[in-house]
Structure formats: structure tokens, C-alpha cells
Amino acid sequence: MNEIVNKVEADFAVRLTGQELSPYIRKGEVAYFVKTAELSDGDVGLFLVRGKSVIRQYCEDSEGGVYLFAVNRRLRRLDLKLGYEESVISIGKLIVNEKIPLPEA
């Protein structure tokens, strides 16, 4: 079930073609985003990385390394660990009612 805070707050929307946000938002449903480059650990965002746009959960380690996790842990093969020289561009932050927990180690 899509847990939208308020569609009016959204700057843009994306219809999901994959299962990476399941069970929070399923394939075929619409995810709503606000434009922002600033994300905190655990925020889900739309990113441009390695020439592709991806929706992942953001996490940064104490040394500045960036991890982008698939929310659907059955798809953990889609997780990205970015090298320190790699760039990632945040396009927007997913609007949700409740914070989605980061994956457990």
C-alpha cells in the first residue's frame, strides 16, 4: 500500500516498474517525491548514479562512503556501494508517512 503523506506536497511522481520499494510501494503504483539534494540516513531517494536513475535507500558511513540499498531486501543484489570518487546526484526524496528502516547488518 502506497503510504503517501500528501500528494499536493510532491514535486514529481514516478510510476514504479520494478519491485525495489515493495512492500511499501508496489510495482505499478506511483511514488511521490520532493526535489531535494539533502538526504539523511534512511531516506529513500531517486538518484542518478553510474549513468542510471535508481530509487534506493540512502546511507552514508562515518568516512563519507555512500550506500544505496534496495528497500525490498529480496533484491539486495541491487544494493550499491559507491567508491569515494564516484558521484551520485540526488534528484528527490520519497514522501512517506513513516520512516522506512535501514536494512540490518
Side-chain angles (χ1 to χ4, degrees):
M1 172 167 223
N2 195 338
E3 299 189 12
I4 303 303
V5 172
N6 186 344
K7 293 178 188 178
V8 176
E9 295 176 9
D11 292 317
F12 64 95
V14 175
R15 184 167 306 277
L16 298 181
T17 59
Q19 295 287 347
E20 53 270 86
L21 291 180
S22 185
Y24 302 95
I25 304 173
R26 292 179 174 79
K27 182 178 179 178
E29 292 184 330
V30 176
Y32 295 89
F33 294 85
V34 292
K35 290 180 184 177
T36 182
E38 299 204 18
L39 294 166
S40 300
D41 284 352
D43 287 342
V44 176
L46 176 63
F47 301 95
L48 182 59
V49 60
R50 298 177 184 163
K52 296 181 182 178
S53 60
V54 297
I55 299 174
R56 298 287 188 279
Q57 190 171 29
Y58 177 86
C59 186
E60 187 174 335
D61 66 24
S62 60
E63 297 176 10
V66 173
Y67 301 83
L68 300 176
F69 299 111
V71 171
N72 181 346
R73 297 315 296 152
R74 285 186 236 145
L75 299 176
R76 64 179 46 119
R77 69 185 183 283
L78 300 177
D79 291 352
L80 299 170
K81 179 182 180 190
L82 304 179
Y84 294 103
E85 292 86 32
E86 287 187 274
S87 66
V88 59
I89 298 170
S90 171
I91 299 168
K93 177 180 164 182
L94 180 70
I95 301 172
V96 292
N97 282 332
E98 296 178 23
K99 193 139 177 113
I100 297 172
L102 277 164
E104 294 183 17

